[in-house]
Amino acid sequence: MHKIVKLTLGLLLCSTSTYSVADLYVTPWVGYTLGGSVENQDGEDFDLKGSTNLALSIESDFDTGRIGLFYTRQATEVEKIKQDSDVHYLLFQSSIHYQLDEQLSSYLGLGLGGSYIEAGWVDNKLGFSASIMGGFEYKLTEQLALNGQVRWLGTVVDNDTTGVCNLPSSGSDSCVIQFKTSWMNQVSTNVGVTWRF
């Protein structure tokens, strides 16, 4: 019994000490997201309003880059017809970093995961999503850096789902809306502060 306890403790210590060598990067982000559109029964297009987004990434060193998770949320509404929509993304991502000088580096990365669309007019709220990102990181200290990025976000949506909406002009006019295509494209620009642990 003592051998099993010693072996378990030894494995835990080895795995912990190996993990502690890898740096952990935590970045809260604030940004602005554009894109996404719906159409009504008459074929008229309405865009999702561009709005601010909040995000968080947690990454670790991997080869010449980083690997980790990225979460973002955008609260928006459909233009003109005032239908609220919250879009959430959770992505597993990896990136390659290129050192430009002692303090500045650039990076390029990909992400895969899922999205959740919180809207009364959407039936199938979950979808597959993907992301491509690029940006720059400026090191202020060994533990702190400023970060900026541009990110394309794409998600599979159910464009067979329709929902009823009221047009704001008279209040009695109603319409039926749905996603315009089965793939929604969005672009976000983000700035953040990266803490290295």
Side-chain angles (χ1 to χ4, degrees), residues 11-177:
L11 288 173
L12 284 173
L13 288 173
C14 286
S15 64
T16 321
S17 63
T18 303
Y19 180 73
S20 65
V21 172
D23 289 327
L24 188 66
Y25 302 88
V26 177
T27 309
W29 303 89
V30 64
Y32 195 80
T33 301
L34 298 165
S37 63
V38 298
E39 66 180 4
N40 68 7
Q41 72 273 18
D42 300 323
E44 293 177 282
D45 293 343
F46 302 97
D47 292 329
L48 295 180
K49 277 188 178 178
S51 63
T52 57
N53 64 271
L54 297 175
L56 178 70
S57 62
I58 300 172
E59 301 171 294
S60 183
D61 288 322
F62 182 76
D63 202 17
T64 59
R66 296 181 191 160
I67 194 166
L69 292 173
F70 176 81
Y71 168 78
T72 187
R73 175 185 178 264
Q74 177 201 17
T76 184
E77 67 179 17
V78 180
E79 288 181 338
K80 297 180 185 174
I81 54 178
K82 309 288 186 196
Q83 293 289 309
D84 290 337
S85 303
D86 280 8
V87 185
H88 305 261
Y89 291 94
L90 180 61
L91 302 165
F92 175 75
Q93 69 181 18
S94 66
S95 58
I96 298 173
H97 286 244
Y98 304 96
Q99 200 68 39
L100 301 176
D101 66 28
E102 193 175 309
Q103 292 179 292
L104 184 65
S105 64
S106 65
Y107 57 90
L108 185 63
L110 300 170
L112 294 174
S115 63
Y116 179 77
I117 299 174
E118 238 180 304
W121 49 273
V122 177
D123 284 340
N124 191 2
K125 298 180 184 298
L126 292 172
F128 168 79
S129 63
S131 174
I132 299 172
M133 58 155 167
F136 294 92
E137 185 176 273
Y138 184 79
K139 191 191 301 182
L140 299 171
T141 68
E142 285 300 314
Q143 282 73 39
L144 194 64
L146 294 177
N147 213 322
Q149 68 174 219
V150 175
R151 182 182 289 263
W152 165 80
L153 295 158
T155 189
V156 174
V157 293
D158 184 3
N159 68 332
D160 293 328
T161 295
T162 58
V164 177
C165 60
N166 290 320
L167 295 173
S169 55
S170 69
S172 62
D173 295 335
S174 63
C175 64
V176 176
I177 59 171

